[in-house]
Amino acid sequence: MEQQKKMETNLKVLDMTCAACSARVEQGLKKLPGVLDANLNLATEKAHIRFEPAAISEQDLIEAIEDIGYRVSLDKTELKVKGMTCAACSARVERKLNSTAGIYKAAVNLTTEKATIQYNPLQLSVKDLIKAITEAGYEAEEDSDSTRDQNALEQELASKRQKNVFLLSAVFASPLLLGMIFEMLGFAWSHFLMNPYLQFLLATPVQIVGGRQFYKGSYHALKAKSANMDVLVALGTTAAYGYSLYHTFVTTGALYYEASAVVITLVLLGKMLEANAKGKTSEAIKSLMGLRANTALVERNGKEEIISIDDVLVGDIIIVKPGEKLPVDGTITEGNTTIDEAMLTGESIPVEKTVGDPVVGATINKFGAFKYQATKVGKDTTLNQIIRIVEEAQGSKAPIQRMADLISAYFVPAVLGVAAITFLGWFFWGEPGNTATAVRNMVAVLVIACPCALGLATPTSIMVGTGQGAKKGILIKGGEHLEKAHSINSVLLDKTGTITKGEPEVTDILPVRELEPLELLKLAAMVEKPSEHPLAQAIVKRARRENLELGDVKNFQALPGFGVEAFYGGKEVLLGNWKLLEQKGVSFAAGNSFKERLEEEGKTAMLLAIDHQLVGVLAVADGIKDTSPEGIAKLQEMGIEVYMITGDNQKTAEAIGGQVGISQVLAEVLPQHKAAEVEKLKAAGKVVAMVGDGINDAPALVAADIGIAIGTGTDVAMEAADITLMRGDLRGVAASIALSRATMRNVKQNLFWAFIYNTLGIPLAALGFLSPILAGAAMALSSVSVVSNALRLKGFDPYKIYN
């Protein structure tokens, strides 16, 4: 008994650099309630932990290590799950996986038939994950690139089989349905179709062949001590068929052959239509995969040769002719051209490219021939990263789905109880002793209560929404981010590279002492040459354009948020903002009038001092993107508060804010303090989106409710952001929020109709107002209607809000 209360686990802890790190993690774990012992091995990076599962879970241990400041190595995989037919199935698989030791997080998507699993590789392998799904009563296999084509072929064959089985059932069920209709209309010759033996011969193939998949699914579900849609259909139709069989061969009485046969046929029709509609929801992935080029013309050993795209190596020189697709990502080495990047950004206007410019695989060369060097191949290409992000998003779950999953988990057992009560109620009280009526109403309850529509309501909308976003250059990492984006009421915009072009230029060179402007520029450029800051690069670029020879400085030091410091000719040189000079005790009174005028013009003033004497002022301005005012105005029109955050001083920041229509400006904020400003807004009760470049703004992007990265079209691996805008302009922020709002409206419509359908349908069936045939038709159409409603999103263009 004591043994059952204890568990052991091994976790691989990353980022530990010394014994102090391992000791810190070890002591932190030992302090947790429920942890009996913890040992950290720095050499192997392994933590061996003994704990009481009743008091603390593995997830809690992992989160505790991350809170201490270290990462736990977890593997992530996708498995293709076969045999799921409704939300109860996916909920069961998910529960089984999440209750398995070593699995940190698992999400099962009924629409894509995929399980996305994050697990501890020290405890489990992929085989163990597949085994867990098998124990739940379903089949699984790894969803790798090598199995996708096979899966697609299997799905195509399965779709054909489903169609054939439906046609067979329809052929045999039609006479039964016609017989019932003709009898109701009083046709004299309808008695031929109502012959019990003929009805038996017509209904039996439908029950055996058409119903086979429901019996098979029921067997696996019941074997795993569960219940799903298959159980409801199999139980309901078997009751009707068995009851009719008894009255055919044992005694006379009411027959319900048409009910069992027509219900099975209608359910098969619904499944077939649903599969076709679900196939359309994943068209975004298929279309993205279809964008790939198959071959590449490369230059190797002085010769040109055509090779498979899979054989292209980093460093290869690739030749591209007009009208051809680019096979991989790279940098142009020879030639000029214009490239259609619509697949990347959703923008149809071609982009001019020349030597040194980056290019992206799967884009289309419009005019000139050129050569470029491959920099990213295989899974590292931009297209493959986009496909990965969209696949993960479509396989994820939105928080709103949790309610539906919770209901689905208990729904089928509850329906079985309602069906039993319906039978007993009608048999003993409704129409005492009338078995036919009791069976008919019980079958109607079982058939109409399938939770398929409930399970499909959210994932189908999420799939279409994320797919539409990808087509328009809006990459959303998961359903939870797509859902949360619709609640955003405050947007915090970084200035440089977000509102502005991110390519500052020197606009003014103003000496204060006996220095020529070019001498001032040369000295500033030499000091800034080692720096990678955009303002520094602007000064260096201007100096080189003036053909100035730049020597080297000594003891260069970058001072983030202030400027730089270096020594040249034995003299200390400072270049930065007024804070730097104030900190160093340098008077900048002589340049104050320059500084104030420049800042009022929205320019960044950079003060240069030699040996504690101000010698000049340089102004750098970063031009505003043409689309920024329009994007900001649309956000404000949508009722969203817009803030600008920048390291610039207050005057400069307000000048730029005024140019784009932003009155709420957060100025003089150091890079490391941006996240704190996000937290302040959140603490005030606002749902905050932070918009930045995805690199310098990473802490703030993570701190925000939604982090939005402005992409460049070549680097989509922005791990800190929840949404990446491939177009690189602010209009995408409002477009992504509009897409989220449209998707969430669609999800809520689906959930409303799914809930209403079951809420009204089950009582109507139980009270005898629905025949099994009508129940079957309603059940089949409910799933189709939910998926069809989700497909309406395919016509939604998030950028149309600007028209």
Side-chain angles (χ1 to χ4, degrees):
M1 187 70 178
E2 186 66 24
Q3 187 70 21
Q4 292 178 346
K5 294 181 181 179
K6 299 177 183 178
M7 281 184 67
E8 295 185 7
T9 189
N10 291 302
L11 299 173
K12 188 173 180 66
V13 183
L14 305 177
D15 302 333
M16 294 190 299
T17 57
C18 63
C21 296
S22 57
R24 185 180 171 203
V25 177
E26 191 172 287
Q27 292 304 314
L29 288 170
K30 286 180 177 178
K31 290 177 183 177
L32 296 173
V35 174
L36 303 173
D37 192 24
N39 293 297
L40 264 290
N41 186 317
L42 180 62
T44 61
E45 297 182 314
K46 284 185 182 179
H48 181 76
I49 309 164
R50 287 196 308 117
F51 63 99
E52 296 174 336
I56 192 168
S57 67
E58 286 181 82
Q59 287 91 332
D60 295 329
L61 297 172
I62 292 169
E63 288 169 7
I65 292 171
E66 289 174 346
D67 287 341
I68 294 169
Y70 300 90
R71 290 181 298 132
V72 175
S73 176
L74 295 170
D75 278 1
K76 191 173 184 179
T77 190
E78 279 192 347
L79 299 179
K80 185 75 175 175
V81 183
K82 298 179 181 179
M84 296 190 299
T85 56
C86 68
C89 300
S90 57
R92 174 164 182 79
V93 176
E94 193 169 288
R95 282 200 309 273
K96 175 65 178 177
L97 289 170
N98 282 318
S99 64
T100 301
I103 292 178
Y104 177 59
K105 189 185 296 180
V108 180
N109 190 310
L110 175 65
T111 308
T112 60
E113 297 180 332
K114 287 181 182 179
T116 304
I117 308 165
Q118 204 171 7
Y119 66 99
N120 181 2
L122 297 181
Q123 279 185 270
L124 299 169
S125 66
V126 173
K127 287 183 178 179
D128 296 320
L129 304 178
I130 291 173
K131 183 182 177 183
I133 293 173
T134 304
E135 289 173 355
Y138 303 89
E139 296 177 23
E141 63 182 354
E142 199 165 3
D143 190 48
S144 62
D145 288 337
S146 60
T147 61
R148 279 178 184 156
D149 290 341
Q150 182 63 31
N151 286 333
L153 180 62
E154 287 180 5
Q155 285 179 352
E156 187 178 344
L157 291 173
S159 179
K160 286 181 179 178
R161 283 196 299 268
Q162 187 83 335
K163 183 179 179 181
N164 291 335
V165 170
F166 162 70
L167 291 174
L168 173 77
S169 299
V171 167
F172 282 93
S174 296
L176 294 169
L177 181 61
L178 288 172
M180 181 187 72
I181 294 172
F182 290 158
E183 186 180 42
M184 289 171 60
L185 295 174
F187 289 128
W189 49 271
S190 64
H191 66 275
F192 170 74
L193 292 175
M194 299 304 294
N195 183 282
Y197 299 105
L198 177 62
Q199 290 203 342
F200 164 72
L201 292 173
L202 291 171
T204 301
V206 179
Q207 195 70 34
I208 295 173
V209 180
R212 180 177 179 275
Q213 66 188 64
F214 304 114
Y215 287 118
K216 184 179 177 183
S218 300
Y219 168 75
H220 288 299
L222 295 172
K223 185 181 177 184
K225 298 178 182 177
S226 179
N228 61 3
M229 181 210 78
D230 293 321
V231 173
L232 297 180
V233 175
L235 190 59
T237 58
T238 301
Y241 178 78
Y243 181 76
S244 302
L245 206 64
Y246 175 76
H247 283 170
T248 301
F249 295 102
V250 179
T251 184
T252 57
L255 301 178
Y256 286 106
Y257 284 122
E258 81 284 347
S260 64
V262 174
V263 163
I264 287 175
T265 304
L266 287 170
V267 174
L268 289 173
L269 173 63
K271 283 289 175 187
M272 187 177 70
L273 295 174
E274 179 189 314
N276 291 337
K278 281 164 64 178
K280 292 179 182 177
T281 65
S282 59
E283 280 180 359
I285 293 289
K286 293 173 186 173
S287 61
L288 284 171
M289 289 180 171
L291 293 172
R292 291 172 173 148
N294 296 318
T295 60
L297 178 61
V298 300
E299 196 175 76
R300 288 180 178 174
N301 302 318
K303 295 181 181 179
E304 294 181 6
E305 58 179 301
I306 297 175
I307 62 173
S308 167
I309 189 175
D310 298 326
D311 297 328
V312 177
L313 304 174
V314 171
D316 274 341
I317 298 298
I318 300 169
I319 302 164
V320 185
K321 297 174 183 177
E324 292 182 343
K325 283 184 183 178
L326 279 65
V328 295
D329 298 3
T331 304
I332 295 179
T333 58
E334 184 181 322
N336 301 293
T337 188
T338 55
I339 291 179
D340 180 354
E341 295 185 339
M343 58 72 56
L344 190 71
T345 63
E347 186 65 64
S348 59
I349 300 172
V351 181
E352 293 186 3
K353 299 281 184 177
T354 188
V355 174
D357 286 340
V359 289
V360 180
T363 55
I364 300 171
N365 182 30
K366 298 295 284 185
F367 299 112
F370 67 95
K371 294 181 181 179
Y372 74 101
Q373 186 175 40
T375 56
K376 291 181 181 178
V377 301
K379 62 182 177 61
D380 297 323
T381 63
T382 299
L383 178 62
N384 279 330
Q385 289 185 53
I386 292 172
I387 290 171
R388 176 182 60 81
I389 289 171
V390 176
E391 281 186 326
E392 288 183 0
Q394 294 193 341
S396 66
K397 283 194 173 184
I400 197 171
Q401 193 175 340
R402 291 174 190 155
M403 175 178 62
D405 287 348
L406 184 65
I407 292 170
S408 297
Y410 300 99
F411 191 76
V412 176
V415 168
L416 293 174
V418 172
I421 293 170
T422 299
F423 178 85
L424 295 172
W426 279 97
F427 186 79
F428 289 107
W429 294 284
E431 294 182 12
N434 190 335
T435 310
T437 301
V439 168
R440 184 180 71 89
N441 294 336
M442 178 190 73
V443 171
V445 169
L446 290 170
V447 171
I448 201 169
C450 171
C452 287
L454 202 55
L456 293 169
T458 302
T460 48
S461 297
I462 297 297
M463 283 183 71
V464 178
T466 52
Q468 281 300 100
K471 287 180 182 177
K472 296 297 180 181
I474 301 170
L475 299 184
I476 303 168
K477 282 191 176 176
E480 66 273 22
H481 310 309
L482 181 60
E483 176 178 339
K484 197 156 199 175
H486 90 286
S487 303
I488 291 170
N489 53 33
S490 298
V491 172
L492 194 58
L493 303 174
D494 179 51
K495 186 203 79 172
T496 305
T498 302
I499 294 174
T500 64
K501 296 174 182 176
E503 298 175 1
E505 295 180 346
V506 176
T507 57
D508 301 82
I509 305 170
L510 306 168
V512 174
R513 297 184 181 275
E514 303 78 16
L515 274 179
E516 291 296 320
L518 288 183
E519 288 181 290
L520 181 63
L521 175 62
K522 179 178 178 178
L523 184 57
M526 286 192 296
V527 174
E528 292 283 27
K529 190 168 66 169
S531 173
E532 294 180 356
H533 194 282
L535 299 183
Q537 293 302 307
I539 293 172
V540 174
K541 188 183 291 184
R542 173 67 182 270
R544 286 181 174 150
R545 199 164 69 233
E546 300 287 352
N547 297 316
L548 301 176
E549 290 187 17
L550 304 180
D552 295 323
V553 296
K554 294 182 179 179
N555 301 327
F556 171 84
Q557 185 179 1
L559 306 168
F562 296 93
V564 296
E565 179 182 17
F567 284 84
Y568 179 70
K571 296 180 179 181
E572 182 189 42
V573 182
L574 298 172
L575 180 60
N577 55 29
W578 64 270
K579 285 184 183 178
L580 174 63
L581 271 62
E582 187 177 59
Q583 190 183 73
K584 298 290 184 178
V586 179
S587 171
F588 50 85
N592 222 22
S593 60
F594 289 151
K595 170 181 168 293
E596 289 181 2
R597 175 176 64 81
L598 294 169
E599 288 173 354
E600 285 173 0
E601 294 173 359
K603 299 172 182 177
T604 300
M606 302 176 71
L607 291 75
L608 182 69
I610 302 175
D611 276 348
H612 285 66
Q613 294 292 319
L614 181 70
V615 297
V617 180
L618 291 91
V620 178
D622 183 6
I624 292 168
K625 292 179 183 177
D626 295 338
T627 54
S628 290
E630 186 181 12
I632 290 164
K634 179 57 69 174
L635 286 168
Q636 293 167 338
E637 185 184 310
M638 294 168 72
I640 296 169
E641 293 183 349
V642 182
Y643 299 78
M644 184 180 81
I645 188 166
T646 177
D648 291 345
N649 64 62
Q650 193 69 37
K651 282 188 177 179
T652 302
E654 287 178 355
I656 293 170
Q659 292 176 43
V660 295
I662 298 177
S663 59
Q664 301 181 91
V665 174
L666 305 176
E668 301 177 29
V669 180
L670 297 177
Q672 61 268 31
H673 295 156
K674 287 181 181 178
E677 295 296 332
V678 171
E679 295 293 354
K680 285 180 186 176
L681 289 175
K682 287 171 67 177
K686 301 182 185 300
V687 181
V688 182
M690 171 69 196
V691 187
D693 61 13
I695 302 168
N696 298 328
D697 303 309
L701 290 170
V702 172
D705 294 295
I706 292 292
I708 302 177
I710 297 285
T712 61
T714 57
D715 184 10
V716 298
M718 298 183 184
E719 296 302 324
D722 304 311
I723 299 173
T724 299
L725 305 177
M726 301 299 290
R727 289 193 184 183
D729 71 63
L730 279 179
R731 291 180 304 171
V733 179
S736 59
I737 294 171
L739 177 63
S740 171
R741 290 179 177 179
T743 304
M744 292 315 298
R745 276 197 306 272
N746 195 272
V747 167
K748 288 172 182 175
Q749 288 165 1
N750 282 349
L751 286 173
F752 172 79
W753 289 113
F755 278 120
I756 285 293
Y757 160 78
N758 282 126
T759 303
L760 297 178
I762 293 174
L764 286 174
L767 294 171
F769 295 114
L770 283 179
S771 71
I773 291 174
L774 287 176
M779 189 271 275
L781 291 173
S782 66
S783 296
V784 177
S785 62
V786 162
V787 179
S788 299
N789 186 52
L791 287 173
R792 289 192 310 111
L793 280 172
K794 289 171 74 69
F796 180 78
D797 181 353
Y799 280 95
K800 277 191 176 177
I801 59 174
Y802 292 101
N803 293 344

